C-alpha cells in the first residue's frame, strides 16, 4: 500500500500530466477541427467615413483589410488608421471608398484580409466551373488570361475559402496567366461533413490534383501551383504526386506550412507548453482511434508532411514569400526549408505582417517580388 507521502508524490506527477494531456486534446482538436468565428465589436463613426473596431494586434496592423457584417452579409473595406485609443481599446480606420457603408454596421463583425469580395473585382473575364472530385463537383473560379498555355492554381489554407485567394489572383494578374481558384473537401461548399475537419493537406491535395487535371484538359501546357499557409502543404504534395507533375513548372508559397511538426511545436511554445506537449498532440493525431474520434478519414502522417528535415525533397523551382513577423507559422521554418532545398527554393522576406497578410501590408512589394521571380525563373525556361 502506498504511504501518504508517496501518494501525494504520485498525485503531484499525475496532475501536471493530466493537465498536459488535456491541453494536447484541446490543441489537437483546434488544429484539425473548424472553430467558431472570432468576432469583434464595430460601428461606423458619425461622419460615416470610418469604422471604429475593437483594438488588437490584427486590427491595428498597417495595410488594407475588411470587415464582414454577419447581420447584413456585407463587406466593408478599410485602410488607413486614423486613431488608436489604447485606453478604451479601439481603433478607427478609414472606409474605402468613402461613404460606401449603407447605413449601420455591426455591432459585431468578422475581421478579414480579403479586400475584393467578388471575383469581378479581380478579373472581368471569369466564370464559375465545376471540377469532378471524389466528393462530387467542386466549384472553382476560372479567370481567363491572355496566356492560355500557362495556368496558376491558387490554393487556400485551412478554415478559409477560395475567395481568400482573390489577393493572389490580383498579384498574378500582370503576368496574363489563366487562373483557377478551386475548392476542396474541407470546404463547406464541397463536403459539409468533411468541412468540420482538416487533414492538414494530407487528403485535400487529391482535389487540387483534380483541378490540375481540369487545367490540362482545357489546354494548360505549364502549371504554377500557388499555395498559402496549409495551401503550401497541398501545393508541395500535389507537385510530388501529380500525374501531371511534368507540367508543373513552379511553386509559389506564402507563409507556408512546410513542416507541421515544427509549426505545432512553435504553437505549443508560444502557449508556454513544453515540447513534450507538442509531441503528445502529434501522437494523438497519428493514433487511428483518436483520429477517427475527430472525424478524420485517416490518421495524420507527419513524415509525409515534412519538407524541412528531409534534404532536397523539393525538385521544382519554388518561391517562398514570408514575413518575419508571422506568429502562426514562424519565419524560421521557411528559412530552414530553404536551407534544406538550396538548389530549388528562393526565400524572400517581406515587410512585417501577420500570417498570410503580406499582400495586405504591401501589395506593390508582394506583386513585384512575385512577378520578378516568375519572369526570371519560370518564363525564361519557356
Amino acid at each position: 500500500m502506498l504511504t501518504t507521502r508517496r501518494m501525494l508524490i504520485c498525485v503531484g506527477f499525475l496532475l501536471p500530466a493530466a493537465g498536459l494531456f488535456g491541453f494536447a486534446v484541446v490543441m489537437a482538436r483546434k488544429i484539425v477541427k473548424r472553430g467558431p468565428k472570432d468576432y469583434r465589436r464595430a460601428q461606423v463613426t458619425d461622419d460615416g467615413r470610418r469604422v471604429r473596431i475593437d483594438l488588437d494586434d490584427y486590427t491595428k496592423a498597417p495595410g488594407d483589410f475588411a470587415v464582414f457584417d454577419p447581420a447584413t452579409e456585407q463587406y466593408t473595406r478599410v485602410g488607413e488608421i486614423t486613431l488608436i485609443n489604447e485606453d478604451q481599446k479601439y481603433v478607427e480606420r478609414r472606409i474605402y471608398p468613402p461613404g460606401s457603408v449603407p447605413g449601420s454596421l455591426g455591432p459585431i463583425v468578422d475581421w478579414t484580409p480579403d479586400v475584393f469580395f467578388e471575383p469581378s473585382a479581380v478579373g472581368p473575364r471569369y466564370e464559375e466551373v465545376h471540377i469532378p472530385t471524389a466528393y462530387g463537383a467542386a466549384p472553382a473560379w476560372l479567370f481567363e488570361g491572355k496566356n492560355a498555355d500557362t495556368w496558376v492554381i491558387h490554393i487556400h489554407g485551412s478554415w478559409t475559402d477560395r475567395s481568400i485567394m482573390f489577393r493572389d489572383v490580383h498579384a498574378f494578374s500582370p503576368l496574363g496567366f489563366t487562373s483557377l481558384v478551386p475548392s476542396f473537401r474541407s470546404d463547406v461548399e464541397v463536403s459539409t461533413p468533411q468541412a468540420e475537419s482538416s487533414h492538414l493537406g494530407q487528403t485535400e491535395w487529391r482535389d487540387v490534383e483534380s483541378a490540375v487535371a481540369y487545367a490540362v484538359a482545357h489546354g494548360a501546357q505549364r502549371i504554377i501551383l500557388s499555395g498559402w499557409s496549409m495551401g503550401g502543404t497541398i501545393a508541395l504534395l500535389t507537385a510530388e504526386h501529380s500525374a501531371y507533375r511534368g507540367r508543373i513548372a513552379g511553386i509559389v508559397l506564402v507563409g507556408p506550412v512546410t513542416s507541421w511538426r515544427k509549426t505545432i511545436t512553435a504553437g505549443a511554445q508560444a502557449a508556454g507548453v513544453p515540447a513534450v506537449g507538442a509531441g503528445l498532440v502529434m501522437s494523438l493525431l497519428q493514433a487511428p482511434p483518436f483520429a477517427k474520434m475527430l472525424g478524420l478519414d485517416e490518421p495524420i502522417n507527419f513524415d509525409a508532411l515534412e519538407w524541412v528535415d528531409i534534404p532536397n525533397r523539393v525538385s521544382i523551382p519554388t518561391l517562398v514569400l514570408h514575413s518575419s513577423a508571422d506568429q502562426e507559422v514562424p519565419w524560421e521554418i521557411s528559412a530552414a526549408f530553404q536551407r534544406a532545398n538550396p538548389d530549388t527554393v528562393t526565400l524572400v522576406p517581406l515587410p512585417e505582417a501577420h500570417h498570410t497578410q503580406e499582400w495586405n501590408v504591401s501589395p506593390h512589394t508582394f506583386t513585384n517580388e512575385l512577378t520578378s521571380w516568375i519572369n526570371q525563373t519560370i518564363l525564361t525556361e519557356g
Side-chain angles (χ1 to χ4, degrees):
M1 182 179 292
L2 291 173
T3 65
T4 301
R5 182 169 181 268
R6 287 179 178 174
M7 288 179 64
L8 289 173
I9 290 173
C10 288
V11 170
F13 279 111
L14 287 172
L15 286 176
L20 193 60
F21 181 79
F23 165 83
V25 171
V26 170
M27 189 169 181
R29 288 185 60 84
K30 186 175 182 181
I31 290 169
V32 301
K33 300 295 288 184
R34 185 180 296 273
K37 291 283 189 180
D38 184 18
Y39 289 113
R40 296 164 172 85
R41 294 172 301 169
Q43 65 182 76
V44 179
T45 58
D46 292 341
D47 61 8
R49 295 178 175 272
R50 290 160 293 148
V51 167
R52 177 178 296 177
I53 188 168
D54 286 340
L55 175 66
D56 58 41
D57 288 343
Y58 290 90
T59 60
K60 70 178 181 181
D64 287 344
F65 299 92
V67 294
F68 174 73
D69 188 337
T72 61
E73 298 187 345
Q74 295 288 325
Y75 286 91
T76 300
R77 185 168 176 172
V78 298
E80 177 191 359
I81 297 171
T82 58
L83 175 67
I84 294 179
N85 190 317
E86 295 283 359
D87 293 332
Q88 298 185 36
K89 303 299 180 186
Y90 68 80
V91 58
E92 291 183 0
R93 305 188 71 126
R94 201 175 299 281
I95 293 170
Y96 177 82
S100 59
V101 179
S104 63
L105 180 145
I108 60 168
V109 298
D110 184 27
W111 180 259
T112 174
D114 178 14
V115 299
F116 292 109
F117 319 144
E118 297 290 341
S120 59
V122 289
R125 295 183 296 177
Y126 75 93
E127 62 177 314
E128 182 160 275
V129 299
H130 291 84
I131 298 172
T133 74
Y135 280 78
W141 284 302
L142 175 61
F143 293 86
E144 181 184 345
K146 295 178 181 178
N147 185 337
D149 292 335
T150 301
W151 287 45
V152 185
I153 312 292
H154 304 266
I155 312 166
H156 68 79
S158 56
W159 315 139
T160 58
D161 57 43
R162 55 189 167 125
S163 66
I164 206 74
M165 298 304 288
F166 287 151
R167 294 167 295 163
D168 202 38
V169 175
H170 181 273
F172 269 95
S173 60
L175 294 162
F177 299 153
T178 296
S179 281
L180 185 63
V181 188
S183 50
F184 45 78
R185 63 189 64 188
S186 54
D187 292 337
V188 174
E189 59 186 338
V190 176
S191 171
T192 302
Q194 185 57 56
E196 295 303 314
S197 303
S198 166
H199 286 75
L200 310 185
Q202 181 174 297
T203 61
E204 290 87 347
W205 78 268
R206 297 165 190 157
D207 301 329
V208 173
E209 166 71 347
S210 297
V212 172
Y214 179 95
V216 171
H218 288 79
Q221 299 298 314
R222 180 166 51 186
I223 293 170
I224 298 170
L225 301 174
S226 184
W228 293 29
S229 190
M230 188 190 78
T233 306
I234 295 173
L236 291 167
L237 287 171
T238 305
E240 288 182 356
H241 301 297
S242 175
Y244 308 95
R245 56 185 174 273
R247 299 202 190 197
I248 299 175
I251 304 171
V252 175
L253 306 175
V254 178
V257 182
T258 55
S259 169
W260 275 102
R261 285 194 181 100
K262 288 178 170 52
T263 301
I264 291 171
T265 299
Q269 290 175 343
V273 175
V276 66
L280 185 54
V281 169
M282 288 178 274
S283 295
L284 289 172
L285 292 174
Q286 291 178 117
F290 188 76
K292 185 176 181 180
M293 185 183 76
L294 289 179
L296 300 179
D297 292 336
E298 56 192 56
I300 302 299
N301 179 355
F302 286 97
D303 288 338
L305 307 179
E306 178 61 64
W307 286 268
V308 172
D309 289 340
I310 303 176
N312 301 310
R313 183 174 170 180
V314 179
S315 61
I316 296 172
T318 299
L319 170 67
V320 180
L321 300 172
H322 204 166
S323 165
S324 60
D326 191 331
Q327 296 178 337
E328 293 185 37
V329 181
W331 155 269
E332 290 76 15
I333 296 177
S334 285
F337 171 67
Q338 191 279 326
R339 290 194 299 270
N341 301 276
D343 296 331
T344 53
V345 174
T346 300
L347 174 61
V348 176
L350 292 184
E352 288 195 0
H354 292 295
H355 184 53
T356 65
Q357 295 180 8
E358 288 87 350
W359 182 95
N360 299 79
V361 170
S362 184
H364 180 75
T365 301
F366 185 102
T367 301
N368 278 356
E369 293 289 355
L370 169 66
T371 55
S372 175
W373 182 83
I374 294 289
N375 282 317
Q376 294 174 20
T377 307
I378 306 299
L379 296 185
T380 54
E381 297 179 354

